């Protein structure tokens, strides 16, 4: 089946630095990818929708200059958390829609970001 | 507009007893419905999905769900709980035939299994 690979699975960084998270579709082309943030014991919150070759669409309240999304190819989308602060610590998950699979959604394994 | 409501934030059952996780949805379009499971610090794994075919959907690990349009429900069941079923479960709704649409997550139900 469709697989989405997300790296790294966990990362610790210092305040003020930037962190890049990658999301790759391994055996299919993903024209659309989604980035979510999950706080402890809460549901997933959609941050942005990433379309290959165009600018991402951010949800209300999500700072696009803070959370940079790039979807340069049909198999790779990246989320860069810029000038990270401790409040950015969270679990980030990407997903991709799979055309031809009744529009199912495959999720990456998630990235635990801790900013110290 | 779409929404999904998971009626229980926490369900606790004994090992070997049935599991019922409740989900109600609201959708202006013909919906696709999914159940995902998330183990601690892990990504989401698809359990099953309904996309306008058979209303009774069988998934992995013995789970199944029934789409009831009249009740706008898509409850997840399993005849006999196993300790490994302890996890967070999310009910998800999205319009059918729209791969780029946002998917709406329920608030999640934490399933605990008592020995």
């Amino acid at each position: 089946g469709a697989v989405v690979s997300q790296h790294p699975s966990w990362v610790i960084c210092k305040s003020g630095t930037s962190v890049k998270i990658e999301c790759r579709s391994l055996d299919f082309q993903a024209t659309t990818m989604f980035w979510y943030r999950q706080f402890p014991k809460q549901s997933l919150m959609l941050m942005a929708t990433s379309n290959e070759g165009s600018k991402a669409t951010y949800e209300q309240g999500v700072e696009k200059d803070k959370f940079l999304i790039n979807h340069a190819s049909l198999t790779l989308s990246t989320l860069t958390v810029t000038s990270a602060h401790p409040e950015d610590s969270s679990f980030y998950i990407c997903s991709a829609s799979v055309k031809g699979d009744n529009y199912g959604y495959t999720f990456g394994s998630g990235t635990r970001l801790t900013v110290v | 507009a779409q929404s999904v409501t998971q009626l229980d934030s926490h369900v606790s059952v004994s090992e070997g007893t049935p599991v019922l996780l409740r989900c109600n949805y609201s959708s202006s379009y013909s919906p696709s419905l999914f159940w995902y499971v998330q183990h601690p610090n892990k990504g989401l794994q698809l359990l099953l999905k309904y996309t306008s075919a058979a209303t009774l959907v069988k998934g992995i690990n013995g789970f199944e769900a029934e789409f009831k349009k009249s009740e706008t429900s898509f409850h997840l069941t399993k005849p006999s709980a196993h300790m490994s079923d302890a996890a967070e479960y999310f009910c998800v709704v999205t319009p059918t035939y729209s791969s780029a649409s946002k998917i709406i997550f329920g608030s999640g139900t934490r399933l605990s299994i008592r020995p």
Side-chain angles (χ1 to χ4, degrees):
Chain A
V3 175
V4 171
S5 174
Q6 184 173 345
H7 292 282
S9 55
W10 60 271
V11 59
I12 301 173
C13 71
K14 292 183 178 180
S15 290
T17 61
S18 295
V19 174
K20 180 184 285 187
I21 302 170
E22 292 189 349
C23 184
R24 293 180 184 273
S25 57
L26 294 187
D27 50 2
F28 67 99
Q29 293 182 332
T31 53
T32 302
M33 288 188 175
F34 304 89
W35 286 95
Y36 296 86
R37 182 173 182 177
Q38 185 180 34
F39 292 100
K41 299 185 179 181
Q42 293 188 28
S43 188
L44 279 71
M45 179 190 75
L46 179 65
M47 298 174 65
T49 301
S50 167
N51 295 297
E52 186 269 336
S54 64
K55 292 183 179 180
T57 303
Y58 290 81
E59 295 300 301
Q60 190 173 9
V62 178
E63 300 175 62
K64 58 183 179 182
D65 294 331
K66 174 123 186 109
F67 299 99
L68 300 179
I69 291 174
N70 183 282
H71 194 161
S73 77
L74 286 170
T75 60
L76 174 64
S77 177
T78 61
L79 168 67
T80 302
V81 183
T82 63
S83 187
H85 291 282
E87 56 264 32
D88 298 326
S89 299
S90 191
F91 194 60
Y92 294 87
I93 305 177
C94 66
S95 77
S97 61
V98 186
K99 284 186 177 181
D101 185 25
N102 288 329
Y103 299 103
Y105 295 84
T106 300
F107 287 82
S109 54
T111 299
R112 169 71 60 192
L113 171 63
T114 302
V115 184
V116 298
Chain B
Q2 296 178 106
S3 67
V4 60
T5 302
Q6 290 184 243
L7 299 165
D8 307 293
S9 60
H10 182 213
V11 170
S12 179
V13 302
S14 297
E15 188 175 20
T17 64
V19 174
L20 170 64
L21 304 184
R22 298 183 293 167
C23 173
N24 285 97
Y25 71 93
S26 172
S27 179
S28 303
Y29 306 95
S30 176
S32 289
L33 293 155
F34 307 79
W35 275 99
Y36 286 88
V37 60
Q38 184 183 33
H39 289 91
N41 290 315
K42 298 290 185 181
L44 278 72
Q45 180 184 20
L46 179 66
L47 283 177
L48 48 79
K49 61 184 177 184
Y50 165 79
T51 54
S52 75
T55 56
L56 181 61
V57 182
K58 294 186 182 299
I60 62 172
N61 301 334
F63 285 95
E64 62 181 42
E66 185 172 9
F67 174 71
K68 293 186 176 181
K69 187 175 181 178
S70 61
E71 299 177 10
T72 61
S73 69
F74 190 58
H75 300 333
L76 181 71
T77 61
K78 182 173 181 177
S80 177
H82 191 273
M83 294 300 292
S84 61
D85 294 329
E88 190 84 18
Y89 291 79
F90 294 98
C91 182
V92 171
V93 64
T94 185
T96 303
Y97 309 122
S98 181
S99 64
S101 292
K102 302 175 207 179
I103 58 177
I104 307 299
F105 279 84
S107 54
T109 298
R110 182 164 60 91
L111 176 63
S112 299
I113 310 297
R114 301 187 299 271

